[in-house]
Amino acid sequence: MKKNIRALVTLILAAAAFSHSAFAVVYPLPAANSRLTGENLEITIPEDSKLPLEAFAAQYQMGLSNVMEANPGVDVYLPKAGSKLIIPQQLLLPDAPREGIVINSAEMRLYYYPKGSKTVVVLPIGIGELGRDTPVNWTTTVQRKKDGPTWTPTKKMHEEYAARGESMPAVFPAGPDNPMGLYALYIGRLYAIHGTNANFGIGLRVSHGCVRLRADDIKWLFKNVPVGTRVQFIDQPIKASVEPDGSRYVEIHNPLSQTEEQFASREPVPLTLTNAVNKVVSDASVNTTAMEDALKARSGMPTKVNGDANSQPSAPVVVPQQAATPQEAPAAPAAAQGTDAPAATDVPATTEAPATTDASVQAVPALTQPGPIYSTPKP
């Protein structure tokens, strides 16, 4: 049965790869006492490929940071032809209510739980650069939505540009050249989940605090997420779970830099194990070596840390090579500094919303071609 499911996933992925648009990955919700879902994929970079890593990340609906964590040492500008890439589409759900939208800044993913669907839609995001951070530990709602948002830069942004000898319009009109893209969901009274006019930045710290998505993703969210939807911001670089069979998993991402010193340092940002994570990994069954290896690797993929050290999640689903080449135009090279890299030309924070200093199945939206759908949770 498992082989049949994996074969089905491969066929779905192959079909999706030939489409001209990237879509969300839709996962089935695991049982209430489980958080593990999805399957990792393995693709081969075609011999004639001249595309940057961003093109492959977009094709399989990943953020750049997700693919870099899963493939340490990969060339961001030109992945080596013939080399293998792991696409990390297996994950642990965040430690948060399975309701509305959950945004985990540390892993640069947005989770949307459509009511009554028993699924979760997972989207890669770009977040606020250092000093202009996306909120954390904050719960709010979608206040309103806008098709064709305009954007008015703040006085401070004009001053920053002027200091660099640059200028910017007083107002960016709606349209394809707007840094907010074509759709926006305003959350709270200061921030927005919106699109972008750039072809990079998903999986990077690039915005002035808002949440950035690729064009197809924000269009899908705009159509399917109702006003009033709960939105929770969290920062969980380490996720952990005890599965129904007793397996204990951790999923470890690189924490976000909190200071300029951390940002500039070649040393990894220190990890902190929360009480919830400690509760999972302090069990006597946990293999100390496996846990230490996971903390060192920071692969961003679920890793089993108890029982047989060699008993890890099943091997990635191998995607046929002819399905691995993105059908979209080559993307612009991403910043080489890594997942913390800011983009000086990106200024998507919004002042369109009033600003403050605060930081049943029949009812399910139709998930029209949202991407690979895993028919059953991974056991």
Side-chain angles (χ1 to χ4, degrees):
M1 180 63 179
K2 183 181 290 187
K3 289 184 179 180
N4 290 338
I5 293 171
R6 289 166 63 81
L8 176 61
V9 171
T10 300
L11 290 173
I12 293 172
L13 259 294
F18 284 110
S19 71
H20 290 277
S21 299
F23 294 90
V25 178
V26 179
Y27 298 84
L29 280 183
N33 62 344
S34 171
R35 290 167 59 194
L36 181 68
T37 190
E39 296 270 8
N40 293 326
L41 310 177
E42 181 186 278
I43 67 170
T44 300
I45 303 296
E47 293 293 342
D48 59 350
S49 174
K50 302 297 182 184
L51 297 174
L53 188 64
E54 161 62 21
F56 293 93
Q59 181 72 7
Y60 291 94
Q61 201 45 29
M62 294 283 109
L64 195 58
S65 60
N66 304 132
V67 179
M68 292 172 67
E69 287 178 335
N71 300 274
V74 65
D75 190 327
V76 175
Y77 297 102
L78 186 62
K80 184 178 179 181
S83 65
K84 308 291 186 183
L85 272 185
I86 300 297
I87 306 298
Q89 287 189 349
Q90 185 178 64
L91 50 81
L92 296 177
L93 297 181
D95 186 9
R98 300 178 183 185
E99 178 185 353
I101 290 173
V102 176
I103 294 168
N104 187 6
S105 291
E107 64 174 316
M108 301 199 197
R109 282 178 176 141
L110 179 153
Y111 295 79
Y112 173 51
Y113 299 89
K115 285 185 177 180
S117 70
K118 296 183 180 180
T119 62
V120 56
V121 179
V122 183
L123 299 162
I125 59 174
I127 62 171
E129 61 187 15
L130 182 65
R132 299 180 175 91
D133 302 278
T134 298
V136 295
N137 302 323
W138 181 41
T139 301
T140 181
T141 62
V142 175
Q143 303 266 313
R144 62 190 180 94
K145 303 193 294 184
K146 178 67 174 177
D147 179 348
T150 60
W151 175 58
T152 304
T154 64
K155 180 181 178 181
K156 184 176 181 180
M157 292 174 193
H158 282 287
E159 292 172 349
E160 291 173 352
Y161 268 61
R164 298 198 298 264
E166 303 173 10
S167 61
M168 61 193 313
V171 177
F172 284 82
D177 295 328
N178 191 310
M180 291 187 69
L182 300 177
Y183 303 93
L185 282 67
Y186 293 95
I187 47 180
R189 299 180 65 189
L190 181 60
Y191 297 95
I193 300 170
H194 61 75
T196 176
N197 65 340
N199 58 352
F200 68 94
I202 304 303
L204 299 174
R205 299 178 74 173
V206 291
S207 78
H208 276 56
C210 290
V211 176
R212 168 196 283 194
L213 294 98
R214 293 189 179 105
D216 288 322
D217 294 340
I218 187 61
K219 182 178 180 180
W220 189 91
L221 275 184
F222 181 85
K223 290 182 176 179
N224 290 281
V225 174
V227 170
T229 296
R230 181 182 189 271
V231 180
Q232 181 177 2
F233 288 85
I234 60 175
D235 181 24
Q236 295 180 7
I238 304 178
K239 298 183 290 183
S241 175
V242 182
E243 292 302 297
D245 65 356
S247 297
R248 293 173 184 259
Y249 288 89
V250 294
E251 179 184 320
I252 302 175
H253 299 265
N254 286 300
L256 301 176
S257 300
Q258 301 299 315
T259 65
E260 290 288 350
E261 290 75 18
Q262 286 183 343
F263 181 82
S265 175
R266 292 179 177 271
E267 296 298 317
V269 178
L271 289 162
T272 300
L273 273 63
T274 64
N275 291 336
V277 171
N278 269 319
K279 187 175 180 180
V280 173
V281 303
S282 61
D283 188 80
S285 68
V286 170
N287 184 302
T288 303
T289 300
M291 184 64 192
E292 290 176 351
D293 289 346
L295 289 168
K296 182 178 180 180
R298 305 184 183 195
S299 69
M301 297 182 288
T303 302
K304 186 179 177 183
V305 293
N306 71 329
D308 183 355
N310 295 318
S311 178
Q312 293 300 322
S314 55
V317 175
V318 177
V319 177
Q321 186 165 352
Q322 67 269 23
T325 304
Q327 301 299 302
E328 301 175 12
Q337 293 93 329
T339 59
D340 268 353
T345 58
D346 178 75
V347 282
T350 176
T351 56
E352 183 170 339
T356 73
T357 56
D358 293 331
S360 82
V361 174
Q362 289 75 14
V364 178
L367 303 181
T368 55
Q369 183 57 29
I373 300 178
Y374 294 96
S375 57
T376 59
K378 181 176 175 59

